[in-house]
C-alpha cells in the first residue's frame, strides 16, 4: 500500500513538472535530439520572390529547424534585426547600413536584387527625363532606394528635384500600379513586378527612358542594388557552417526562380507572397534577381550609399559602412 502511494506521488510530481515547467521536459531530452529554431525572413512583394523555393523545400541544417517567414514590410524585417531576433533575412541596402551604424553587429552577405525600377507614364508630353519638369511623379518607398534614385537622376538631367518636380508618396506599390493603369495618375516610378502589372492593364502606358542606363550615366557603374541578404554577425561567427549552408541554398533558390518563372509564380501564390501566378511569372524575367557575394557587391553598394549620403545621410546612419559590414 505504501509503495503504491509512493509511486503515485512520483507520477503526479512528474506530471506537475511537465505541466508547469515544460523546459524541464526539454532538458530531459537527449542532447542529440534538441534543435535550435532558425527563421529566414523574406519580405512580401518583389523582395521575397527569390526565396520562394525555400518555402516549399526548407533548408536542412544540422542542429537547426529552419523556417521561412515573409513579412509584410521591410521595416518589420529591420525591427527584427534591431531586436536581435532575426539572424538571416532580406533588407533594403540602406536599412542594413543604418542598423550597422547604430552599433548592431549586422553584415551584408550578398546582394539579391539589382535594378528593377521603371518610370511609366500616360502623359503624351513626357518622352524623356527632362520632360518631367512641372510634372508629378508618384513613387512608393519614401526614404528608400526609389526616392533617392529618382532624385539623383533628375538632378543629373538638369532638374531640381525639390522644385521642378512634385513627388508623391501617398500610395503603396499595388495601389500605384492600379491607379496608373486606370488613369487616375499619369506618371509613376514602379519596381517589378508592379511595372509589368501596370503595363499589362494599362494599354496607354509606356516606359520613359531607362532607369538603369540613367544610373550608369550618373555613376559609371552597370546597375544599382535593390535588396541585400543580411546576417547577424554574432550568430554567423558562432555558426559559420550553418550560415554557409543557408547562403548556398538561398543562392540556389534565386537561380531556380530565375530559371522557372511559372513554377515560382505558382509557389508565390501558394505561400501568399503578394502576387497572382501570372503577374509573378511575367515579371520574374525582368526583375534582376541575383546572388552577388558581399565582397563582389561592395563597390555597387557604396555607389548607392553615396547617393543616400547626398540626399539623406541619416538614412544610412550618416556614413559609409566600415569594411567589416561586408560578410567574408
Amino acid at each position: 500500500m505504501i509503495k503504491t502511494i509512493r509511486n503515485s506521488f512520483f507520477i503526479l510530481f512528474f506530471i506537475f513538472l511537465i505541466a508547469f515547467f515544460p523546459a524541464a521536459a526539454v532538458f530531459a531530452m537527449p542532447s542529440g535530439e534538441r534543435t535550435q529554431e532558425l527563421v529566414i525572413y523574406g519580405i512580401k512583394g518583389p523582395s521575397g520572390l527569390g526565396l520562394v523555393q525555400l518555402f516549399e523545400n526548407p533548408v536542412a541544417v544540422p542542429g537547426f529547424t529552419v523556417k521561412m517567414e515573409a513579412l509584410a514590410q521591410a521595416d518589420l524585417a529591420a525591427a527584427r534585426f534591431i531586436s536581435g531576433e532575426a539572424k538571416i533575412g532580406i533588407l533594403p541596402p540602406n536599412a542594413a547600413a543604418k542598423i550597422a551604424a547604430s552599433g548592431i553587429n549586422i553584415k551584408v552577405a550578398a546582394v539579391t536584387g539589382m535594378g528593377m525600377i521603371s518610370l511609366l507614364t500616360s502623359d503624351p508630353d513626357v518622352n524623356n527625363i527632362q520632360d518631367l519638369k512641372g510634372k508629378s511623379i508618384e513613387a512608393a518607398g519614401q526614404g528608400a532606394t526609389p526616392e533617392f534614385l529618382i532624385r539623383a537622376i533628375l538632378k543629373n538631367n538638369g532638374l531640381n528635384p525639390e522644385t521642378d518636380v512634385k513627388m508623391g508618396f501617398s500610395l503603396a506599390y499595388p495601389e500605384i500600379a492600379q491607379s496608373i493603369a486606370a488613369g487616375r495618375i499619369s506618371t509613376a516610378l514602379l519596381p517589378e513586378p508592379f511595372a509589368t502589372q501596370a503595363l499589362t492593364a494599362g494599354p496607354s502606358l509606356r516606359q520613359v527612358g531607362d532607369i538603369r542606363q540613367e544610373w550608369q550615366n550618373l555613376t559609371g557603374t552597370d546597375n544599382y542594388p535593390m535588396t541585400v541578404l543580411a546576417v547577424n554577425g554574432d550568430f554567423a561567427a558562432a555558426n559559420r557552417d550553418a550560415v554557409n549552408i543557408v547562403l548556398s541554398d538561398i543562392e540556389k533558390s534565386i537561380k531556380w526562380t530565375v530559371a522557372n518563372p511559372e513554377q515560382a509564380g505558382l509557389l508565390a501564390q501558394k505561400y501568399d507572397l503578394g502576387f497572382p501566378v501570372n503577374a509573378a511569372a511575367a515579371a520574374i524575367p525582368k526583375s534582376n534577381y541575383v546572388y552577388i557575394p558581399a565582397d563582389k557587391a561592395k563597390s555597387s553598394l557604396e555607389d548607392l550609399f553615396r547617393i543616400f549620403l547626398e540626399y539623406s545621410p541619416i538614412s544610412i546612419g550618416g556614413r559609409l559602412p566600415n569594411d567589416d559590414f561586408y560578410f567574408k
Side-chain angles (χ1 to χ4, degrees):
M1 180 69 177
I2 293 173
K3 183 176 181 181
T4 301
I5 292 172
R6 185 183 296 117
N7 289 342
S8 298
F9 171 79
F10 282 119
I11 291 170
L12 289 171
F13 180 70
F14 183 69
I15 293 171
F16 172 82
L17 282 176
I18 293 175
F20 292 97
F21 300 97
V26 173
F27 288 124
M29 294 171 59
S31 60
E33 296 181 21
R34 293 198 302 271
T35 60
Q36 180 180 348
E37 183 176 277
L38 175 60
V39 180
I40 301 172
Y41 289 100
I43 303 170
K44 290 189 177 184
S47 303
L49 278 176
L51 306 184
V52 69
Q53 193 190 37
L54 301 183
F55 285 84
E56 184 78 357
N57 300 299
V59 182
V61 180
F64 291 86
T65 300
V66 182
K67 297 181 179 180
M68 298 294 300
E69 183 174 347
L71 300 170
Q73 299 173 156
D75 57 354
L76 296 177
R80 279 167 169 75
F81 274 102
I82 292 169
S83 70
E85 178 183 349
K87 309 305 181 190
I88 300 178
I90 298 294
L91 285 174
N94 67 298
K98 188 173 183 179
I99 293 169
S102 73
I104 293 172
N105 189 0
I106 186 175
K107 300 182 185 297
V108 164
V111 166
T112 55
M114 295 295 280
M116 58 178 78
I117 295 176
S118 296
L119 183 65
L120 305 181
T121 192
S122 59
D123 187 334
D125 295 328
V126 177
N127 296 296
N128 54 51
I129 300 296
Q130 290 86 354
D131 291 338
L132 291 170
K133 186 172 184 177
K135 304 293 184 178
S136 296
I137 304 173
E138 190 67 32
Q142 187 173 19
T145 300
E147 177 187 359
F148 299 117
L149 181 69
I150 191 62
R151 289 187 184 278
I153 288 171
L154 289 169
K155 184 178 179 181
N156 199 48
N157 281 270
L159 301 181
N160 185 329
E162 302 297 332
T163 59
D164 289 338
V165 177
K166 182 180 179 181
M167 300 288 294
F169 301 99
S170 61
L171 302 176
Y173 287 137
E175 295 169 316
I176 295 174
Q178 293 165 9
S179 295
I180 195 171
R184 293 190 290 273
I185 57 177
S186 61
T187 306
L189 194 68
L190 277 170
E192 291 296 346
F194 302 106
T196 294
Q197 283 182 277
L199 287 167
T200 302
S204 64
L205 289 176
R206 54 197 167 77
Q207 185 171 315
V208 180
D210 182 334
I211 296 297
R212 182 171 171 178
Q213 182 60 52
E214 292 290 341
W215 174 258
Q216 190 167 4
N217 295 342
L218 176 65
T219 65
T221 54
D222 179 61
N223 208 341
Y224 52 94
M226 287 285 291
T227 55
V228 298
L229 179 64
V231 297
N232 177 291
D234 295 332
F235 177 82
N239 300 277
R240 185 68 188 230
D241 290 342
V243 168
N244 285 339
I245 292 171
V246 172
L247 298 184
S248 176
D249 277 21
I250 288 174
E251 181 177 9
K252 291 173 185 176
S253 177
I254 291 170
K255 289 179 178 178
W256 180 88
T257 298
V258 172
N260 300 278
E262 292 185 6
Q263 291 172 265
L266 288 169
L267 291 181
Q269 181 167 290
K270 177 179 178 180
Y271 292 102
D272 190 26
L273 294 187
F275 303 108
V277 175
N278 292 340
I284 286 169
K286 306 175 185 179
S287 293
N288 273 327
Y289 292 112
V290 297
Y291 187 94
I292 305 174
D295 58 338
K296 296 180 180 178
K298 181 181 176 182
S299 62
S300 64
L301 283 165
E302 289 189 337
D303 284 337
L304 181 65
F305 292 150
R306 289 187 182 97
I307 298 297
F308 279 91
L309 280 176
E310 180 178 355
Y311 289 97
S312 179
I314 194 173
S315 63
I316 63 166
R319 59 176 175 80
L320 287 178
N322 298 327
D323 287 344
D324 62 3
F325 175 66
Y326 302 93
F327 181 74
K328 298 179 177 65

